[in-house]
Amino acid sequence: MSSSADAADAADPAASVEAVDMASENGQPMLDWYDFSGRDVPDVPGEFYSPESELTGVVRRAAEDLEAAREEARTAADAAGEPLYELAVLAGRLDQLTDAAEGPLVAQDKRRLHGQLRILKNQMLQILADNGIELRDPTGLPAADVLDWVDVTGWLHRPEFDAEVVARTEERAVFHEGRTVRFARVQMGAPAEQEPAQVPVPVQNPAREKEAEEERGSV
């Protein structure tokens, strides 16, 4: 339903135009897009980023800060674990000595003493294992399989070796949660170096030499 004002405007179009003019005179001009003119945007120093880009940057910086904090924590943990790694090296050495001492102690009727030492050694190794520390003995393993966690202190060239293998372990390697923290110290075994082939010296025949001289003199 139309109002009385709408009906009056429809009845008299001129009255409607007059109303627009009156609105302009009263400070309320009726404008459309054609009344506006374009102008250049002033240059502002700096770069503008979309809200999405800004959010991505904030998330990235937060991730970088978190990784830096984790690396700092790992460094602190490694520093705290250094004495434990040294003890692990000594425990590995004790394990080797316990095995080597079994024969002499048993021969001296000290089997009980050897058993006590073995139990103590096993308790030490178990404590290390409970803390994620593992000892590895590379003796007998191929050189190619252990070069990334051993230090080679020398080479033994002997006939019993048909390939390059770990001949003797001086100190066992220490691993913490699968990561090498102490390299094993080993001596590598390799096949014996072959002597250079001897070229046989021809046996001189005096009769043949005399015939050769006569042949040369007759020419």
Side-chain angles (χ1 to χ4, degrees):
M1 225 177 137
S2 302
S3 64
S4 59
D6 293 338
D9 290 343
D12 188 0
S16 178
V17 174
E18 182 179 356
V20 171
D21 293 340
M22 290 177 63
S24 299
E25 292 175 358
N26 293 331
Q28 299 177 356
M30 302 294 291
L31 303 176
D32 59 24
W33 285 109
Y34 297 102
D35 295 319
F36 294 92
S37 60
R39 64 177 180 176
D40 296 333
V41 178
D43 293 333
V44 179
E47 297 182 357
F48 293 91
Y49 298 95
S50 67
E52 293 82 0
S53 299
E54 290 289 347
L55 181 59
T56 300
V58 170
V59 173
R60 185 181 65 251
R61 288 190 292 273
E64 291 173 351
D65 292 343
L66 179 59
E67 182 57 30
R70 287 176 176 173
E71 181 62 29
E72 184 177 352
R74 284 193 293 266
T75 301
D78 288 343
E82 285 297 320
L84 200 58
Y85 303 152
E86 293 298 330
L87 287 175
V89 172
L90 296 177
R93 190 77 183 106
L94 176 61
D95 190 11
Q96 292 174 308
L97 293 175
T98 302
D99 290 342
E102 181 177 6
L105 289 177
V106 171
Q108 298 176 27
D109 198 21
K110 295 180 179 179
R111 186 185 302 272
R112 180 179 177 83
L113 174 59
H114 179 264
Q116 292 173 337
L117 291 174
R118 187 177 65 251
I119 292 173
L120 179 62
K121 176 261 299 181
N122 289 339
Q123 290 174 340
M124 295 174 63
L125 295 178
Q126 186 59 51
I127 292 174
L128 293 172
D130 292 342
N131 287 273
I133 296 177
E134 175 192 3
L135 294 171
R136 295 184 189 177
D137 186 348
T139 301
L141 295 179
D145 294 348
V146 299
L147 288 180
D148 57 343
W149 51 278
V150 303
D151 281 332
V152 180
T153 61
W155 287 84
L156 302 174
H157 295 273
R158 294 177 180 173
E160 60 264 28
F161 300 119
D162 56 3
E164 294 180 353
V165 298
V166 178
R168 189 169 75 89
T169 299
E170 298 172 357
E171 288 183 1
R172 297 179 181 179
V174 180
F175 287 76
H176 182 212
E177 297 181 349
R179 181 169 58 95
T180 308
V181 293
R182 288 293 184 276
F183 280 53
R185 293 172 54 83
V186 303
Q187 290 188 0
M188 286 290 183
E193 297 179 349
Q194 295 182 352
E195 296 294 333
Q198 298 293 329
V199 179
V201 178
V203 179
Q204 300 293 332
N205 188 332
R208 184 67 187 95
E209 286 294 323
K210 184 176 179 180
E211 292 177 359
E213 289 180 1
E214 292 177 353
E215 290 175 358
R216 285 194 294 269
S218 62
V219 175

